[in-house]
Amino acid sequence: MGNSLVAADAAGLHVFDELRTRSCCHQVEIINGGLGGLDLLPFFYNCDTVILVDRVVGFAEPGAVVHLGWDILCADWHGGYSPSSELLYLLKSLPFLGVSPMPSVCMIGIEGAGARETIKLAADMALEVAHETP
C-alpha cells in the first residue's frame, strides 16, 4: 500500500516491487493496494490471511520494520473518517460486510520512507508471515 506520488508514503509499493522479483512468490497472491481503503474489500473474501504492507508512524524507530497484529491495528481507533483512517474503517467493518470466515489480518509496517535494506527486510517478513499460515 502507499502513494506513488508521495515518496515518503511509497514504502509499501517498493515492497510490492521487491516481492514481484522473487521466484518464491508464485504461492502467494501479491497485489498493489495503492491507497487502500474500501477498494481492498474484495481481497478479504475467500482467503485465510491478508498481510498489508505500508508505512507506519510511531510504532518504532525510523528505519524499523514491525509486525502489527489485528489487535494493535484496531486498538485505538474509535470511528470517524479521514483519508488516513479509511483502511482502519475497512478493517473494523469487515465483520459487518459479509466477510466470513474472517481472514487473519496483520500489517508489516515500515517506519519512515524505507531504505533499500528496509524494503528487503519488510518483504522477507511478509513472506515469513505468509508461509507461517496453515
Side-chain angles (χ1 to χ4, degrees):
M1 298 181 55
N3 186 342
S4 61
L5 301 177
V6 179
D9 192 30
L13 301 176
H14 295 309
V15 173
F16 169 79
D17 291 338
E18 171 69 23
L19 289 170
R20 287 187 13 200
T21 68
R22 298 187 181 191
S23 62
C24 62
C25 292
H26 64 276
Q27 304 162 351
V28 178
E29 182 178 3
I30 302 167
I31 64 155
N32 178 344
L35 296 175
L38 293 173
D39 291 338
L40 294 176
L41 178 61
F43 299 103
F44 285 81
Y45 290 100
N46 303 314
C47 66
D48 297 319
T49 304
V50 175
I51 304 166
L52 304 164
V53 181
D54 200 3
R55 177 178 183 232
V56 296
V57 177
F59 288 94
E61 294 297 317
V65 179
V66 295
H67 178 219
L68 306 173
W70 175 266
D71 54 335
I72 295 171
L73 286 173
C74 297
D76 295 325
W77 188 72
H78 302 290
Y81 176 83
S82 75
S84 62
S85 68
E86 190 172 346
L87 176 63
L88 294 176
Y89 178 81
L90 169 65
L91 295 178
K92 292 290 255 187
S93 300
L94 289 174
F96 308 103
L97 296 172
V99 177
S100 180
M102 228 355 229
S104 171
V105 178
C106 71
M107 178 177 285
I108 304 302
I110 302 163
E111 282 284 353
R116 184 77 187 126
E117 288 305 312
T118 305
I119 297 303
K120 288 182 178 183
L121 177 61
D124 292 342
M125 191 179 284
L127 286 176
E128 184 177 308
V129 172
H131 292 302
E132 288 174 358
T133 303

